[in-house]
Amino acid sequence: MKVRQGDYVASGDVLADRTRERSALQAQLQKTQISLQRIQNQQVLNPPQPLPVPPISGLPPVYYGTQEAAIAAIEDNIDLQKRKIDLLGTMKPAEVPPAMREHEDRILEKLYRDLELAKAEFSQAQEQRAFQEYEHSLAMARRAEEANQQRLMHSQQLQQAEQQRREKAFQEAQLQAQVEDINAKLIDLSTVRSPYAGTIRRVKWLGQSDNRLSVEITLSIGGGPSPDAFTVQPLPVPGPGQP
């Protein structure tokens, strides 16, 4: 209440108002509108597409021509050396010095050693190729796993972005509902003004409903003999320490 019995009021003067409740609601409205604006300004972007996994160069074609040619050449030399030794065997012992036969035998032995070495090199080349193919298969598997991990991570990031958009929309709806509710409460907080100029003759409390009080104010218009009475809109019950 803004007036008491005996007060003079002009037409349009405020008789009752919910100033404190209105101020609290306006502060709450401003805070809610700021929160709503902040949520609306937030942008939820989709994650960028993952970069392609660098490809792995293929292995060169298998080629053992060098090793095979070396083995074939040694085998040919062995055949020649055997025929040479066989030819010496057909000659008379007096025609073949022992040193010559021993020398030719050593040459054959060396050719056999060379053949074993060439075969070992050929086997080593095959093992090295097998190891290269194994390493290449592992690298291809790692590349495939990296690509799968990138796709999985990108899918999860898309889901997170969609979840953020849903949460943003939910928060916007909540805050918008709060703004509408506060505005409705502010509209309900009507200010009671005097319709005429006159003197307050009586203030009568009519009752309480839902924490609201109804008051009847009797106004003597222009100081005339016939007072005009009207009821003020319900007002909130004052809290502790409030007038």
Side-chain angles (χ1 to χ4, degrees):
M1 293 295 298
K2 301 296 183 181
V3 295
R4 294 179 297 178
Q5 184 175 345
D7 290 345
Y8 177 82
V9 294
S11 177
D13 283 353
V14 176
L15 301 180
D17 194 8
R18 305 175 187 179
T19 304
R20 295 183 180 178
E21 189 174 354
R22 184 186 303 278
S23 299
L25 285 175
Q26 287 175 340
Q28 183 181 356
L29 176 62
Q30 183 179 10
K31 181 179 179 181
T32 305
Q33 288 174 332
I34 292 174
S35 298
L36 177 60
Q37 185 66 35
R38 184 175 62 253
I39 293 296
Q40 291 174 338
N41 289 338
Q42 293 178 356
Q43 292 185 348
V44 180
L45 302 177
N46 284 335
Q49 290 291 335
L51 296 176
V53 178
I56 298 178
S57 301
L59 292 175
V62 178
Y63 180 74
Y64 301 119
T66 302
Q67 294 83 0
E68 291 173 346
I71 292 174
I74 295 174
E75 289 176 343
D76 289 342
N77 291 332
I78 289 175
D79 289 339
L80 290 173
Q81 187 65 20
K82 284 181 177 180
R83 286 196 296 269
K84 186 176 180 180
I85 293 175
D86 291 342
L87 180 60
L88 292 176
T90 61
M91 296 174 64
K92 295 178 180 181
E95 296 176 350
V96 181
M100 180 182 295
R101 179 60 184 264
E102 184 179 350
H103 175 71
E104 297 301 332
D105 288 341
R106 286 198 299 269
I107 291 175
L108 182 60
E109 292 174 359
K110 182 179 183 304
L111 288 173
Y112 275 118
R113 290 196 299 270
D114 292 342
L115 179 60
E116 292 299 322
L117 180 60
K119 289 182 177 180
E121 291 177 352
F122 183 36
S123 177
Q124 183 179 4
Q126 290 177 319
E127 291 177 358
Q128 184 176 1
R129 175 67 184 196
F131 180 75
Q132 290 174 347
E133 292 177 349
Y134 171 72
E135 289 289 323
H136 186 265
S137 65
L138 288 182
M140 293 291 291
R142 285 194 294 267
R143 288 293 188 275
E145 180 63 21
E146 289 176 8
N148 290 335
Q149 288 295 331
Q150 285 188 351
R151 286 192 294 268
L152 178 61
M153 183 177 297
H154 185 255
S155 176
Q156 292 174 345
Q157 291 173 344
L158 285 175
Q159 293 176 1
Q160 291 173 358
E162 184 60 28
Q163 178 64 24
Q164 291 174 1
R165 277 190 284 268
R166 287 194 295 267
E167 292 176 355
K168 179 175 179 290
F170 177 74
Q171 292 175 357
E172 286 184 13
Q174 276 192 323
L175 292 172
Q176 187 63 48
Q178 292 178 18
V179 168
E180 295 174 359
D181 181 64
I182 296 172
N183 282 327
K185 291 179 179 179
L186 285 172
I187 293 175
D188 187 54
L189 293 178
S190 58
T191 300
V192 181
R193 299 180 181 275
S194 176
Y196 310 104
T199 303
I200 303 298
R201 292 304 182 189
R202 185 177 61 178
V203 177
K204 181 179 179 181
W205 301 96
L206 300 180
Q208 177 179 341
S209 176
D210 296 331
N211 291 332
R212 297 172 181 266
L213 295 177
S214 295
V215 181
E216 181 183 83
I217 296 178
T218 303
L219 177 65
S220 178
I221 301 173
S226 299
D228 188 7
F230 60 91
T231 302
V232 176
Q233 294 293 331
L235 297 175
V237 176
Q242 295 181 348

